[in-house]
């Protein structure tokens, strides 16, 4: 074998040794902590448009349950002046989100924290794509803690007692999941 072939083999093996454990960590973490609910690119664009429509002076955007940070990083691209605080309770997810943030050179404040203990008093816009069973607890927290005029946007799952100001349907075709990728917009009175 030539010297170049050895170098190429070394690089491939090195990548394999690094990539395989990282992949396994992600898989195990998803099995233990539950899988993510990723926001589609179409819904992300609709979210950015909705923010522009309701909050022209938005400064502080909170992504509750940010997972690996894909939405927050895309929002930073679409609305670069936003101060984004992305919160998730998984250290592994936050680690990968911070890594992506550095690679993409987008400044997002990723925090490992329980979203129900996070201080949201400075939030102008709050976004979440969580399971239905968490929504009643979150609704109560947001109603108590957010400042007047704050905008809350939920994806697919919605609040039981808080009536949305608008529903933004990002996938007009009927899905087997009710309200799939529908954005529910709420304004705090």
């Amino acid at each position: 074998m030539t010297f170049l072939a050895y170098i190429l083999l070394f690089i491939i093996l090195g990548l394999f040794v690094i990539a395989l454990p990282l992949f396994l960590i992600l898989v195990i973490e998803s099995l233990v902590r539950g899988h993510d609910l990723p926001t589609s690119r179409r819904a992300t664009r609709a979210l950015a448009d909705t923010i522009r429509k309701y909050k022209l002076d938005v400064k502080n955007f909170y992504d509750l349950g940010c997972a690996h940070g894909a939405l927050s990083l895309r929002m930073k691209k679409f609305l670069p002046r936003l101060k984004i605080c992305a919160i998730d309770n998984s250290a592994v997810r936050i680690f990968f989100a911070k890594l992506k943030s550095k690679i993409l050179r987008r400044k997002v404040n990723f925090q490992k924290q329980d979203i129900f203990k996070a201080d949201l008093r400075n939030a102008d816009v709050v976004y979440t794509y969580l399971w239905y069973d968490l929504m009643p607890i979150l609704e109560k927290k947001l109603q108590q803690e957010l400042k007047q005029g704050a905008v809350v946007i939920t994806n697919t799952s919605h609040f039981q007692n808080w009536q949305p100001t608008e529903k933004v349907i990002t996938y007009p075709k009927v899905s087997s999941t009710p309200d799939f990728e529908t954005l529910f917009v709420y304004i705090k009175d």
Side-chain angles (χ1 to χ4, degrees):
M1 273 212 216
T2 67
F3 180 69
L4 188 57
Y6 282 118
I7 290 175
L8 187 59
L9 182 63
F10 179 75
I11 290 171
I12 291 170
L13 286 174
L15 288 174
F16 182 74
V17 166
I18 292 170
L20 183 62
L22 291 177
F23 176 74
L24 290 174
I25 288 170
L26 281 173
V27 168
I28 292 169
E29 198 267 343
S30 290
L31 290 172
V32 171
R33 304 211 30 117
H35 68 283
D36 301 329
L37 298 172
T39 302
S40 70
R41 292 183 190 281
R42 181 185 295 190
T44 303
R45 281 190 291 279
L47 175 62
D49 292 342
T50 303
I51 290 170
R52 287 185 196 106
K53 177 180 176 181
Y54 284 95
K55 265 315 221 193
L56 294 175
D57 60 340
V58 65
K59 291 184 182 99
N60 299 310
F61 175 86
Y62 283 74
D63 180 4
L64 303 182
C66 70
H68 299 110
L71 172 98
S72 293
L73 293 168
R74 285 195 304 261
M75 289 303 295
K76 191 66 172 177
K77 180 181 175 185
F78 291 142
L79 300 169
R81 294 190 177 163
L82 279 183
K83 285 184 181 178
I84 298 177
C85 181
I87 302 170
D88 200 279
N89 64 354
S90 167
V92 172
R93 291 175 181 167
I94 292 297
F95 169 79
F96 283 104
K98 286 181 177 181
L99 182 64
K100 283 195 276 185
S101 178
K102 287 194 186 303
I103 291 169
L104 295 173
R105 295 185 179 152
R106 294 187 191 145
K107 188 177 179 184
V108 174
N109 179 15
F110 288 104
Q111 297 179 8
K112 186 225 176 274
Q113 186 178 11
D114 181 342
I115 62 171
F116 299 106
K117 294 180 181 171
D119 182 0
L120 302 174
R121 290 176 291 175
N122 292 325
D124 296 310
V125 177
V126 174
Y127 172 80
T128 189
Y129 189 178
L130 297 173
W131 296 105
Y132 283 101
D133 60 336
L134 297 174
M135 298 306 281
I137 305 163
L138 184 61
E139 179 181 5
K140 184 176 178 183
K141 175 183 175 54
L142 295 174
Q143 285 285 14
Q144 290 174 350
E145 201 167 313
L146 290 179
K147 62 186 172 188
Q148 185 176 6
V151 175
V152 177
I153 303 170
T154 65
N155 188 336
T156 305
S157 53
H158 51 86
F159 299 126
Q160 301 228 338
N161 301 311
W162 196 354
Q163 294 304 309
T165 303
E166 181 182 5
K167 283 174 67 171
V168 179
I169 299 169
T170 62
Y171 284 91
K173 294 182 180 178
V174 177
S175 168
S176 61
T177 305
D179 296 323
F180 174 71
E181 290 260 316
T182 296
L183 302 179
F184 295 87
V185 182
Y186 304 86
I187 298 177
K188 174 70 164 62
D189 295 329

